[in-house]
Amino acid sequence: MNPAAFATRQKNARRILGHIINNGETSRLALAGALGLSTATVTNIVTELLERDLLYESRQEHSLVGRKSTLLQFNSRLHHVLTVQIATGPDKETVHMAVCDLRGQVLSSASTVFAIKVTQDRPQGTVLRDLITLIQDFIRRQPEEITARLYGVGISVGGMVNAAQTVDAQIINWKNMNLAMPLQAALHIPVYVEGITRVKAQYETRFLDPSEKNVLYLNLSSGVGMVHFFNGQMVAGQNGIAGEVGHISLNLRGPQCYCGNRGCFEHYCGMHNILQRAAALLTEANRDDCFYELAVRQKEPLTAELLFRAREMGSLVVHDLLCDISEYLGAGLAALYNIFDPDRVILSGYLDGADNFVIENARAEANSRIINRFSREVHLTRAHLNDAQLHLAIVAFVLTKLLDTIYP
């Protein structure tokens, strides 16, 4: 087979697999119609995918007339993936681990409070060794039928991860942390590390409309991160860290950020700092506010969900705080619109389960700030995936790496 024909076959195999993974079981004839391929091409490639155990014939399609079609299904049990979520919060740091099949169905899971942050008492080497031990112990506790199919590990972390999978996460004092190589040496299986924003954004690509050529994904979590998709491809940048919009200065005379700049986007719209600002409102001067009642008297944990609930219950101090946040979010969105002129912006993170108050305020603020010579309006939508489903995105991320080895 000549190189051009081989490359086309590889590309079509990925398209067929991607279609079945995203849309569920289907027939050879339906695949040909959906992908614009000949039935002969589909049949030949499907035969190879069946031989590789990537697909299996699930059942025959019910039909009142004509020949019944055999339906194809992705073999999600071919391998297992260990997902690791390194989560930082205002009061604790947690490592969430789950063994999943290739569709993200959880087979076994555990969450452990873990001292992730590098300190003088816990230097970077100690944190790394303890984290590797934690993951090894979790794998050892799994039955053989799970570990025998374990293909690889996918790790999501808040912070910058460059093309070499080196992590820089200043909130937890990780500087040039090489997590992938030592863990891979310890486990003898592939390990893939990526920033949480990119992991979630890559999952969202399965929902992009083909007509959308220029889309931004904005993740509002403990910090603020962005991914830019152009013609369906993620723009990585020269060093693999494009999208660090959290450290755009929205106020040159604002508070100093840990990055060294002042008035960063992340300072005003990252949940880590928002919760610190919210905690400062819990004073005797605000004792008659329902937010004080919930957080102090009823001792409810200080979370994003509590803030949104308090505003809905009539908290004036939280209302003012969220108004301030939405104004800065709108200013940040306006900057992104003026630079990228996107088809839309997908919002993810702490706004997933919230009402539309912050989003609509931010939209109005952004619309008032963008250069509007062509009657542009800010188009915002919510992400399909929420933070509780992050394991699905990590599995999809590792599955992409697996398929890259088979069909590069």
Side-chain angles (χ1 to χ4, degrees), residues 326 329 347 355-367 380 382:
S326 63
L329 177 56
L347 293 177
D355 61 21
N356 288 326
F357 176 77
V358 172
I359 291 178
E360 292 307 318
N361 274 15
R363 189 200 311 272
E365 183 69 24
N367 279 329
L380 304 177
R382 295 178 191 266

Side-chain angles (χ1 to χ4, degrees), residues 258-279:
Y258 61 82
C259 74
N261 292 330
R262 289 190 172 275
C264 286
F265 195 170
E266 183 172 299
H267 174 83
Y268 297 105
C269 296
M271 186 48 64
H272 183 80
N273 286 319
I274 290 172
L275 293 180
Q276 288 184 342
R277 294 177 65 189

Side-chain angles (χ1 to χ4, degrees), residues 66-263:
R67 185 177 178 181
K68 295 180 179 179
S69 296
T70 301
L71 296 180
L72 303 164
Q73 183 65 273
F74 173 62
N75 184 10
S76 61
R77 295 283 179 163
L78 178 62
H79 294 295
H80 296 153
V81 173
L82 172 61
T83 69
V84 180
Q85 305 171 35
I86 298 176
T88 59
D91 55 350
K92 66 178 179 180
E93 298 156 342
T94 311
V95 175
H96 305 285
M97 294 173 286
V99 178
C100 306
D101 68 14
L102 293 179
R103 280 202 181 278
Q105 180 179 345
V106 177
L107 308 175
S108 177
S109 64
S111 294
T112 304
V113 175
F114 182 85
I116 296 166
K117 190 171 185 177
V118 171
T119 64
Q120 188 172 358
D121 296 330
R122 281 180 58 76
Q124 192 156 291
T126 300
V127 172
L128 179 58
R129 283 192 295 271
D130 288 350
L131 183 58
I132 291 173
T133 299
L134 179 71
I135 294 170
Q136 285 178 310
D137 288 345
F138 175 75
I139 294 174
R140 290 191 189 104
R141 294 196 299 270
Q142 307 310 310
E144 185 178 354
E145 58 265 27
I146 286 181
T147 57
R149 292 179 178 269
L150 192 60
Y151 163 77
V153 181
I155 302 176
S156 73
V157 58
M160 291 187 293
V161 181
N162 66 14
Q165 298 193 84
T166 300
V167 183
D168 191 287
Q170 293 194 40
I171 289 179
I172 52 176
N173 293 332
W174 283 20
K175 299 177 181 179
N176 296 320
M177 172 82 89
N178 190 334
L179 176 57
M181 290 182 63
L183 184 57
Q184 187 164 296
L187 300 180
H188 306 293
I189 54 176
V191 175
Y192 305 102
V193 181
E194 185 55 280
I196 184 172
T197 299
R198 288 191 173 178
V199 169
K200 293 165 64 177
Q202 288 179 60
Y203 184 86
E204 199 70 21
T205 57
R206 62 184 62 190
F207 304 108
L208 292 181
D209 190 303
S211 66
E212 295 177 313
K213 304 299 183 183
N214 186 17
V215 177
L216 302 182
Y217 179 96
L218 190 65
N219 184 38
L220 303 167
S221 56
S222 57
V224 175
M226 187 201 78
V227 173
H228 180 205
F229 292 105
F230 193 77
N231 284 337
Q233 300 296 315
M234 182 179 69
V235 178
Q238 180 181 1
N239 298 299
I241 58 172
E244 282 300 314
V245 299
H247 298 288
I248 293 175
S249 291
L250 297 181
N251 182 355
L252 295 179
R253 295 173 179 80
Q256 187 166 23
C257 178
Y258 61 82
C259 74
N261 292 330
R262 289 190 172 275

Side-chain angles (χ1 to χ4, degrees), residues 350-401:
Y350 58 74
L351 293 177
D352 288 338
D355 61 21
N356 288 326
F357 176 77
V358 172
I359 291 178
E360 292 307 318
N361 274 15
R363 189 200 311 272
E365 183 69 24
N367 279 329
S368 73
R369 289 173 173 266
I370 60 174
I371 298 173
N372 200 24
R373 297 188 181 179
F374 302 98
S375 300
R376 294 191 301 167
E377 284 198 7
V378 174
H379 184 198
L380 304 177
T381 59
R382 295 178 191 266
H384 291 78
L385 189 81
N386 60 48
D387 284 344
Q389 301 168 309
L390 182 56
H391 63 281
L392 297 176
I394 299 175
V395 170
F397 165 62
V398 175
L399 176 58
T400 298
K401 299 295 185 182

